[in-house]
Amino acid sequence: MLAKLSQSALEELLSRGSHAEPVLSPLVGLRERYMQALVRFDATGMQALLAQAAVAYPPRTLVLELLAPTMRAIGEGWTRGEITIAMEHLATAQIRSLIEGFTRAVPLPPDAPRIVLATSEGQHHDLGLAMGALLVAQQGVEPVMIGADVPFADLAGVLDETRAQILVLAYLHELPSAEAKRVRARLRALAKKVPLWLAVGPGHSLQTLADIAKLLPTFEALEDALALRFAA
């Protein structure tokens, strides 16, 4: 077929293909509708949209293409003054409930390896960590989700009791310089007890700990690290 086309016709065909609009996931539209319902405080409508997505898509797709992008959009909206704290709390409660339900439903063997997930002192947001816990469970690893704002002294005790093979700590926000110095010292001490993985974004000051911790800038990086660590 292509052999019969003139050179000009072939160039036009290729040009049209190079300028084709990207194919968007149906979840993009669903996310937009969820945000529209959120600003109206339409909790019932929001819940219905999440239920619709939960039936149609596997948990991993929901995390990567709907839930995480939705929470990022909410954070950006809050920065612009378009989303209130009340709206953020409503969406967080709904999304957390969905994630935790999926996580509980993942069948794990009694001898599954364990990973502790938490945020340390002063880090108050752990919804992204809960999404990570779901991805951990889907890899056949038991996530011990401790939550947010956990004192360093308590983390050491949790590791002793759970005999976890890895500690994952998430840092959503940057640390003040004086606090960062103290946190780095505490993290170095923890890394002597158990392998330490840090969920930090690009440019975060804790990336300087790459010599003692595995850095996880994305959910995909977490999945890759799990696959490598627990390869059969």
Side-chain angles (χ1 to χ4, degrees):
M1 176 68 178
L2 289 178
K4 297 179 180 179
L5 292 175
S6 67
Q7 181 64 28
S8 61
L10 180 57
E11 290 175 354
E12 181 182 354
L13 178 63
L14 293 174
S15 175
R16 288 202 303 268
S18 65
H19 292 90
E21 290 294 325
V23 178
L24 298 179
S25 164
L27 287 173
V28 173
L30 194 148
R31 183 168 74 241
E32 292 174 352
R33 286 153 54 201
Y34 188 86
M35 295 294 291
Q36 292 165 1
L38 173 62
V39 298
R40 300 193 305 269
F41 287 99
D42 180 8
T44 300
M46 293 164 62
Q47 196 68 61
L49 289 169
L50 290 181
Q52 174 186 336
V55 170
Y57 296 92
R60 181 180 185 274
T61 301
L62 289 179
V63 167
L64 298 182
E65 297 186 24
L66 176 63
L67 304 181
T70 295
M71 292 310 299
R72 281 196 296 270
I74 289 171
E76 293 165 359
W78 180 84
T79 300
R80 295 191 300 267
E82 300 167 357
I83 298 293
T84 66
I85 292 177
M87 293 173 188
E88 186 269 339
H89 285 183
L90 173 58
T92 295
Q94 289 193 349
I95 290 174
R96 184 185 300 278
S97 177
L98 178 64
I99 293 168
E100 292 178 347
F102 273 126
T103 304
R104 287 192 298 270
V106 177
L108 292 171
D111 59 346
R114 286 179 169 180
I115 288 183
V116 168
L117 302 98
T119 76
S120 64
E121 302 164 7
Q123 297 290 313
H124 304 294
H125 297 280
D126 66 348
L127 185 59
L129 200 65
M131 296 182 196
L134 172 55
L135 298 179
V136 167
Q138 291 204 305
Q139 296 265 6
V141 179
E142 180 184 352
V144 182
M145 178 68 182
I146 303 301
D149 199 18
V150 181
F152 280 106
D154 288 2
L155 285 173
V158 169
L159 294 173
D160 289 338
E161 289 296 327
T162 61
R163 299 181 181 179
Q165 297 191 22
I166 295 167
L167 170 62
V168 178
L169 293 177
Y171 287 86
L172 179 62
H173 301 297
E174 186 54 85
L175 302 169
S177 57
E179 177 68 7
K181 182 178 180 180
R182 185 185 72 87
V183 169
R184 281 194 290 268
R186 300 302 295 267
L187 292 177
R188 287 188 179 277
L190 281 172
K192 294 177 180 178
K193 294 178 64 70
V194 67
L196 177 63
W197 294 2
L198 296 177
V200 293
H204 197 285
S205 61
L206 293 183
Q207 287 195 325
T208 58
L209 294 177
D211 60 319
I212 58 101
K214 183 179 291 292
L215 304 181
L216 306 173
T218 64
F219 288 121
E220 291 87 349
L222 170 63
E223 291 180 315
D224 290 344
L226 289 166
L228 183 62
R229 175 63 177 80
F230 298 106

